[in-house]
Amino acid sequence: MATKQAPDVAVLGLGYIGLPTSAVIARSGARVLGVDIDPNVVETVNSGRIHIEELDLDGLVQGVVARGTLRASICIEPADVFLIAVPTPFGADHAPDTSHVLSAARTIAPVLKAGDLVVLESTSPVGTTEAVRDLIGTLCPELKMPHASNGTADIAIAYCPERVLPGRILVELIDNDRCIGGITPRCARKAMSFYRRFVRGACVTTSARVAELVKLSENAFRDVNIAFANELSVVADRLDLDVWEVIRLANRHPRVDILTPGPGVGGHCIAVDPWFIVHSAPGETPLIRTAREVNDAKVDHVIARAIALIEAHPGARAACFGLAFKANIDDFRESPALKVAEALTCRFGERIAIVEPHIDALPASLDGATLVDIDTALVECGLLIVLVDHDLFRSVPLDERQGKIVYDTRGIWPDQPSLDRKPAIRLAS
């Protein structure tokens, strides 16, 4: 029996999701064109290199580019499957901005033909996939668009959000279940057939609107639970208690699993997606809104405590450990650690040292601070402010931290007294 021919695939957006997705699909045998508006990204990928940090991605990209199954361009070309994986930020009022998604739809419209599949992967507010359909329908009047009541369409349109963890993207793109929402059931089935080419996890079909809310709900659920931990850490601070001990003992209850607090919540998902739900139903989402406000306020709480610590020790330099929004990655999007470091740099300038092993130069927003390696920070800085739980930081033994004043917002050094672990060096009330 002849094997079904692999489709030609175009992936719009070669960022933290688009590039790994392109590489995984290319490894499955499909011919993949990655499209990005940044010529430097296109040049980097075509040379077999990567512009983001992700475990094992460099070797995979090098291999599929060398085999000719992945190439990049700033221009769209005809394909059989189009995946949209572009950013969906929010504005100053937390309103979702889908302009990048709609721009991608405009980009693919001129090359669409009957039989093609369009899948939106970008995290989006409910109704965005339908908006993509309507825009393509306006731009391609010769093609019959899918609607729930009009029978067979010329193209299929679906929504299939990623649900991966940075640092494990290549594994989770394949092993995690996928929720595939079609404009129609026929659209969902066609998209499911495509994803089954490279996904080992279950592919579950539903409607596009349900799939959109599923993705937002996953991240809002996590945000609410993190907010509880962060609020508890502020309460413990007010009551002069060790929050890490409180959580450790509370979690011995068989039905309690309190998460680990931190300096806030970052990343393009958990720190952003809940606002899409709030924007869609502002009167019905007091809990989700409050969780977002609690997690944003935790950043301000950490900044205030760090400022008080530094001002109480005018002769000491302070080292901020980490800038990324989570451990062992180079992604600074919505990072609370970066916001803390920016506030401290603005106030104290050259007294601030930054330890971030995943970068070679500081962002422009940290002008005045100094990027140093971890050994230099441990020698030169009397104040250590832990903002990210990179594995490198966890490896520092107690004897190298002796005599240091520590503010450990991540709880990575349980053997060290800190502002959050008693007996602590207390700040004046």
Side-chain angles (χ1 to χ4, degrees):
M1 180 182 297
T3 302
K4 185 175 181 181
Q5 183 177 356
D8 290 333
V9 180
V11 178
L12 284 80
L14 291 175
Y16 285 93
I17 299 302
L19 180 57
T21 300
S22 299
V24 167
I25 297 172
R27 183 173 59 187
S28 75
R31 296 172 297 276
V32 180
L33 173 70
V35 181
D36 201 277
I37 61 174
D38 187 340
N40 293 323
V41 170
V42 169
E43 180 182 359
T44 299
V45 173
N46 282 333
S47 68
R49 297 177 291 116
I50 61 176
H51 60 287
I52 59 176
E53 183 168 318
E54 178 59 38
L55 183 64
D56 297 329
L57 180 61
D58 52 349
L60 177 57
V61 169
Q62 184 180 28
V64 292
V65 169
R67 287 195 296 272
T69 53
L70 174 62
R71 59 190 177 89
S73 175
I74 60 172
C75 300
I76 193 65
E77 297 177 12
D80 304 309
V81 179
F82 296 87
L83 299 187
I84 298 175
V86 297
T88 48
F90 60 71
D93 58 351
H94 298 128
D97 177 4
T98 60
S99 61
H100 300 294
V101 169
L102 298 179
S103 178
R106 292 188 187 93
T107 297
I108 66 177
V111 298
L112 284 176
K113 62 185 184 301
D116 286 350
L117 168 66
V118 178
V119 181
L120 174 60
E121 286 207 355
S122 307
T123 303
S124 303
V126 175
T128 304
T129 309
E130 293 172 344
V132 168
R133 174 203 60 193
D134 295 344
L135 177 58
I136 291 175
T138 300
L139 298 174
C140 305
E142 73 283 3
L143 296 175
K144 187 176 181 181
M145 294 295 109
H147 293 271
S149 60
N150 71 347
T152 304
D154 290 329
I155 65 172
I157 301 178
Y159 180 72
C160 183
E162 53 78 20
R163 41 166 53 142
V164 295
L165 183 69
R168 289 181 47 85
I169 291 179
L170 295 183
V171 173
E172 297 199 352
L173 278 175
I174 297 171
D175 290 343
N176 287 1
D177 295 350
R178 299 300 290 257
C179 179
I180 302 172
I183 293 291
T184 65
R186 188 184 295 260
C187 293
R189 290 193 297 271
K190 183 163 185 173
M192 179 175 65
S193 295
F194 168 70
Y195 278 94
R196 278 182 169 167
R197 297 186 61 89
F198 61 93
V199 173
R200 286 195 293 257
C203 292
V204 182
T205 60
T206 183
S207 70
R209 292 175 70 89
V210 166
E212 287 165 340
L213 186 55
V214 164
K215 171 61 176 180
L216 300 178
S217 299
E218 292 167 356
N219 287 323
F221 173 85
R222 296 176 66 198
D223 196 43
V224 168
N225 282 272
I226 295 170
F228 179 82
N230 279 335
E231 186 165 278
L232 185 62
S233 71
V234 176
V235 171
D237 178 50
R238 172 64 65 88
L239 299 178
D240 198 31
L241 297 172
D242 181 348
V243 66
W244 312 105
E245 182 180 15
V246 170
I247 292 174
R248 176 175 58 83
L249 295 178
N251 283 348
R252 294 181 70 89
H253 188 290
R255 289 173 294 280
V256 172
D257 185 17
I258 302 172
L259 301 182
T260 303
V265 173
H268 187 64
C269 292
I270 300 178
V272 175
D273 299 355
W275 287 119
F276 293 1
I277 301 179
V278 173
H279 186 264
S280 297
E284 291 73 32
T285 50
L287 176 63
I288 297 173
R289 178 190 295 274
T290 300
R292 275 282 72 238
E293 292 170 348
V294 166
N295 284 329
D296 284 346
K298 185 62 188 295
V299 181
D300 297 330
H301 177 81
V302 171
I303 289 172
R305 299 194 77 201
I307 287 175
L309 173 65
I310 297 171
E311 289 181 340
H313 300 83
R317 292 191 72 197
C320 292
F321 279 60
L323 296 176
F325 81 80
K326 68 181 295 291
N328 306 320
I329 63 172
D330 67 343
D331 192 343
F332 295 173
R333 291 177 296 175
E334 303 297 325
S335 171
L338 178 60
K339 294 173 184 176
V340 173
E342 287 173 342
L344 298 183
T345 298
C346 180
R347 191 177 186 97
F348 298 107
E350 62 184 15
R351 288 186 63 190
I352 303 301
I354 306 293
V355 184
E356 178 46 77
H358 297 86
I359 60 173
D360 296 320
L362 290 177
S365 61
L366 295 176
D367 184 38
T370 306
L371 181 65
V372 301
D373 60 35
I374 190 169
D375 295 327
T376 300
L378 291 170
V379 170
E380 297 183 357
C381 299
L383 311 177
L384 309 182
I385 303 171
V386 179
L387 301 172
V388 185
D389 48 338
H390 290 318
D391 287 345
L392 179 66
F393 302 162
R394 291 181 179 275
S395 70
V396 178
L398 179 60
D399 61 352
E400 289 193 283
R401 295 180 262 118
Q402 291 288 0
K404 306 297 182 181
I405 299 174
V406 174
Y407 181 15
D408 181 3
T409 72
R410 295 286 184 174
I412 66 170
W413 293 330
D415 54 355
Q416 171 107 35
S418 79
L419 299 186
D420 279 346
R421 188 179 296 279
K422 310 302 179 282
I425 301 160
R426 302 302 304 155
L427 298 178
S429 58

